[in-house]
Amino acid sequence: MERVDGLKDTTCQFTLDGKPFRILGGSIHYFRVPREYWHDRLLKMKACGINTLTTYVPWNLHEPEKGAYHFEGQLDLRAYVSLAAEVGLWVILRPGPYICAEWDLGGLPSWLLRDKNMQLRTSYPGFMEAVNLYFDKLVTVIKPLLYKEGGPVIALQIENEYGSYAKDKNYMKLIKICFQSRGISELLMTSDNWEGLRCGGTEGVLRTINLQRLSFGAIQHLADMQPQKPVMVMEYWCGWFDVWGEHHHVFHYEDMINVVSEILKRGISINLYMFHGGTNFGFMNGAMDLGNYKPQVTSYDYDAPLSESGDCTEKYYALRNLFSRYHYEPLPEVPISQQRREYSPVIVEQHLSLWDILHLTESCRSELPVNMENLPVNNNNGQSYGYTLYETSITYGGSLQSKNNIRDRALVFDNRQFVGMLDPRNHEVALLDGEGERLLSLLVENCGRVNYGKALDEQRKGIVGDIFLNQIPLRGFTIFSLEMRLDFINKLLISDRWKSGTNCTSMPGFFRARLYVDGPPRDTFIKLPGWAKGAVFVNSHNLGRHWSIGPQHCLYLPGLWLNSGENQVIVFEEQKTDGVIVFAENPEYGKTTDVYKLPFCSLL
């Protein structure tokens, strides 16, 4: 039977089924949590006193190649939302198309960038055509989940923090039409920080605010903008994300609970971002660039109430105590956290140089360097993530200059011997003179596309312009796509070129070890104290990037990705290894800094 009285914004309060309703929300992203753990995390959310789940929907995962849609397995959005309903949670969907989320390109698919004239998050026809085709598919998935169809979805957010971008005054209206023209009539919302409220909304859509510090000026500003409407903090940042090379951000629970208590006292609805952060598995982390490019780490622990591995923290119990006062019935019991295990260290048994596996990759020839997204690979959708190797011949040495055309970081090899690095801070490498023709190789890593700010428009990766040797542009490239997807790792596993031992004299390389698990597999953390930088694969699952500069010094390994008995561990390493892989029961996120004591601008 169709329901018609869903979430509404009446005089200064929400109503649901005609009764006053306070949103006590929390964010958990299904794409950052292994599907087998969804139920555990949602049960813990319910037991904390949360009544509404919020989740983003990442376009780049659901349409990784143009016209190829994936809503199954780990990406089964309908199953995730239905599970939330079974647990007793309402749902607010945040399907974008742009989501930010500290996620590569803010959730936008990289194949959009194949259009050299692309204008993201605008009414540019090439962008809106792609959005409309995606929404044609997405709405067929989510429509049965809507409240008026008998489902748990009581509201949807259109776009995300557009006021901080605000390049096109017509754009938000067009995105609203994308929802409404496809029959979605649930309550629509936008969300922005204080500065973005003025430019981020559109007529007929409820504005909400994002914040961490309590600013009644900001909240009053929101209330004044839309009189007689309920006030909601769509993102109350109860932690913060980390970037490589800086400290791990923490937000002490006493400071957090004081702010949340005051918000609730004033009758305001709230959504905790993040309630459980999870992990940026693979190469999916985003980056910040507000003048300086800063890639984000693999972990998305966020110092959230539920830790990266699903443990209930002090924040969790403080919030549970607070939220219990806003429920008439006792809260459910808190589920017991899953056990973790510190496995014994394992020794690398085999190695394989990068140079020995190039035949397993897609490659092409080009006179000019081609950026990652425009490579003729992946059914002409380009390369999205990982590494790209550019090779050309030279006959002399001198000054190799990137002119800032490397995105984001390149290891430079002369006849496959490492000679230096090009990155956003270092644009020059000296090459020695030598006789005869030599092979110059540049292994370029996409460290993560920017997910927030104006730099979103400049996120093509690989080599994006000419590279010069003594002021002469290099020509005649062979380009190898090293996205390190599942099919590549599986080919790697059965390669007959593996060599015994750890002494890989020609780095970078792949290093292989076996972990034997006796009994039921448990969650654990991988640590690589004697290694430099690369990525880790366990039973072909890409756990993410490791980098000795920290702050993160561990990678979360869900036990469900392990087998009882033998497990294959492969580490891709760029520069050095001591041949030992260590396991730990608890994570190590590095030195900490208190986010609440930092100026907000320093976070951005």
Side-chain angles (χ1 to χ4, degrees):
M1 179 177 177
E2 181 177 319
R3 292 183 284 182
V4 294
D5 191 13
L7 187 70
K8 297 183 181 295
D9 53 336
T10 60
T11 303
C12 295
Q13 65 180 359
F14 292 110
T15 63
L16 184 63
D17 291 334
K19 300 176 183 178
F21 183 72
R22 170 88 68 95
I23 296 171
L24 302 176
S27 292
I28 303 178
H29 300 151
Y30 58 100
F31 47 94
R32 283 179 159 128
V33 180
R35 178 172 179 163
E36 293 84 347
Y37 290 169
W38 288 352
H39 192 236
D40 172 77
R41 306 311 193 247
L42 294 176
L43 284 175
K44 288 172 179 172
M45 172 177 272
K46 181 70 174 178
C48 192
I50 299 291
N51 61 28
T52 304
L53 165 72
T54 69
T55 183
Y56 284 126
V57 180
W59 182 5
N60 56 5
L61 292 188
H62 288 296
E63 192 182 2
E65 296 181 3
K66 188 174 183 179
Y69 301 103
H70 298 279
F71 285 91
E72 67 287 329
Q74 181 65 47
L75 297 175
D76 194 337
L77 174 60
R78 188 176 291 179
Y80 182 63
V81 173
S82 299
L83 184 60
E86 291 176 20
V87 169
L89 296 166
W90 299 107
V91 177
I92 296 176
L93 281 184
R94 309 175 77 188
Y98 162 84
I99 63 173
C100 184
E102 289 73 63
W103 194 252
D104 187 275
L105 202 59
L108 301 176
S110 64
W111 50 259
L112 291 169
L113 302 176
R114 291 175 67 82
D115 178 352
K116 63 179 177 26
N117 299 313
M118 177 56 63
Q119 299 173 50
L120 302 173
R121 303 178 74 192
T122 71
S123 57
Y124 174 68
F127 183 70
M128 286 308 304
E129 179 185 2
V131 169
N132 275 291
L133 289 171
Y134 169 57
F135 269 62
D136 284 344
K137 176 63 177 180
L138 176 64
V139 171
T140 66
V141 174
I142 66 176
K143 199 165 185 182
L145 305 170
L146 302 179
Y147 180 89
K148 291 176 183 176
E149 301 291 331
V153 177
I154 55 176
L156 299 97
Q157 180 183 301
I158 66 171
E159 244 274 347
N160 191 62
E161 295 182 321
Y162 194 69
S164 301
Y165 194 73
K167 294 190 67 173
D168 186 332
K169 64 180 181 180
N170 297 316
Y171 171 66
M172 288 295 283
K173 180 180 178 181
L174 291 175
I175 297 299
K176 181 181 75 170
I177 291 171
C178 283
F179 286 80
Q180 294 179 338
S181 66
R182 290 168 174 81
I184 292 178
S185 57
E186 304 298 342
L187 179 66
L188 298 180
M189 300 174 166
T190 60
S191 72
D192 286 282
N193 59 34
W194 185 359
E195 293 82 1
L197 279 173
R198 182 176 60 85
C199 301
T202 190
E203 185 178 355
V205 177
L206 183 72
R207 289 175 167 87
T208 67
I209 194 168
N210 302 339
L211 54 81
Q212 185 173 73
R213 294 161 172 77
L214 194 57
S215 171
F216 293 119
I219 291 173
Q220 189 60 50
H221 179 57
L222 173 61
D224 291 343
M225 290 183 72
Q226 40 188 20
Q228 305 304 306
K229 296 287 186 180
V231 175
M232 179 173 179
V233 179
M234 177 57 81
E235 290 186 12
Y236 176 69
W237 301 315
C238 52
W240 201 250
F241 58 86
D242 295 336
V243 298
W244 289 111
E246 297 186 3
H247 287 176
H248 171 55
H249 292 97
V250 296
F251 181 15
H252 295 298
Y253 80 91
E254 299 95 338
D255 295 322
M256 177 206 70
I257 211 70
N258 289 338
V259 178
V260 176
S261 297
E262 193 61 35
I263 288 173
L264 295 181
K265 283 179 186 176
R266 293 173 180 264
I268 297 169
S269 285
I270 190 171
N271 174 58
L272 300 170
Y273 189 97
M274 296 290 299
F275 181 77
H276 171 53
T279 308
N280 298 315
F281 291 115
F283 299 126
M284 298 309 301
N285 63 277
M288 293 295 297
D289 191 342
L290 299 177
N292 293 303
Y293 173 79
K294 297 179 179 181
Q296 290 142 5
V297 304
T298 296
S299 170
Y300 201 60
D301 176 79
Y302 209 85
D303 196 34
L306 278 187
S307 73
E308 182 175 12
S309 55
D311 287 345
C312 300
T313 66
E314 286 183 306
K315 280 184 183 175
Y316 178 93
Y317 288 106
L319 286 166
R320 175 177 157 88
N321 179 58
L322 175 61
F323 287 154
S324 68
R325 304 170 200 169
Y326 294 86
H327 290 268
Y328 294 112
E329 301 293 333
L331 296 179
E333 292 295 318
V334 179
I336 297 173
S337 289
Q338 294 160 306
Q339 294 181 341
R340 292 194 300 276
R341 183 172 171 186
E342 178 181 335
Y343 296 102
S344 298
V346 296
I347 305 299
V348 167
E349 298 174 350
Q350 294 176 305
H351 67 272
L352 186 55
S353 172
L354 172 71
W355 316 116
D356 291 333
I357 56 84
L358 296 180
H359 64 289
L360 300 178
T361 70
E362 288 192 76
S363 63
C364 66
R365 290 278 301 169
S366 174
E367 187 65 11
L368 300 173
V370 179
N371 62 285
M372 177 185 282
E373 296 79 7
N374 284 99
L375 291 173
V377 299
N378 297 327
N379 301 312
N380 279 321
N381 284 272
Q383 181 181 342
S384 295
Y385 313 107
Y387 294 76
T388 309
L389 178 67
Y390 298 79
E391 294 195 323
T392 188
S393 295
I394 59 173
T395 55
Y396 51 86
S399 174
L400 181 70
Q401 296 176 319
S402 70
K403 305 290 187 181
N404 202 29
N405 286 327
I406 294 291
R407 300 288 188 279
D408 298 298
R409 181 177 170 275
L411 302 181
V412 181
F413 302 87
D414 188 341
N415 272 345
R416 294 183 170 168
Q417 296 299 308
F418 177 71
V419 293
M421 185 182 300
L422 298 167
D423 60 26
R425 295 176 179 81
N426 181 38
H427 301 162
E428 185 174 5
V429 168
L431 302 179
L432 297 176
D433 285 324
E435 294 183 4
E437 188 174 85
R438 296 134 62 189
L439 186 64
L440 177 69
S441 307
L442 294 94
L443 181 63
V444 184
E445 180 190 8
N446 165 8
C447 294
R449 293 185 184 86
V450 164
N451 56 267
Y452 177 87
K454 307 296 184 184
L456 192 76
D457 297 325
E458 303 296 333
Q459 291 309 302
R460 291 172 180 86
K461 298 296 185 178
I463 297 180
V464 299
D466 280 328
I467 304 297
F468 297 82
L469 182 55
N470 299 333
Q471 305 302 323
I472 300 172
L474 295 173
R475 294 291 182 261
F477 290 90
T478 302
I479 307 173
F480 300 87
S481 173
L482 291 158
E483 199 156 356
M484 301 188 191
R485 300 198 298 186
L486 177 62
D487 57 344
F488 170 80
I489 297 300
N490 287 339
K491 289 177 185 176
L492 200 65
L493 284 168
I494 61 174
S495 171
D496 59 3
R497 301 191 181 188
W498 289 94
K499 300 178 178 63
S500 298
T502 64
N503 188 23
C504 183
T505 57
S506 187
M507 297 285 272
F510 295 87
F511 297 83
R512 187 174 184 176
R514 287 180 291 179
L515 170 66
Y516 289 92
V517 173
D518 56 324
R522 304 295 187 191
D523 287 8
T524 190
F525 290 88
I526 285 183
K527 298 172 70 175
L528 299 161
W531 305 62
K533 190 180 193 306
V536 179
F537 304 82
V538 175
N539 294 333
S540 298
H541 293 278
N542 187 342
L543 302 189
R545 309 174 203 263
H546 70 89
W547 198 353
S548 59
I549 65 171
Q552 180 182 354
H553 293 291
C554 62
L555 285 172
Y556 174 51
L557 172 53
L560 63 96
W561 289 351
L562 291 171
N563 307 312
S564 293
E566 183 176 305
N567 297 270
Q568 297 288 332
V569 182
I570 292 179
V571 180
F572 173 67
E573 172 55 47
E574 296 179 7
Q575 292 184 292
K576 70 171 186 175
T577 172
D578 65 359
V580 180
I581 300 169
V582 178
F583 299 88
E585 184 177 342
N586 296 306
E588 182 182 342
Y589 296 128
K591 294 181 179 179
T592 63
T593 187
D594 186 348
V595 63
Y596 205 57
K597 295 178 181 177
L598 295 173
F600 181 71
C601 61
S602 71
L603 294 173
L604 299 177

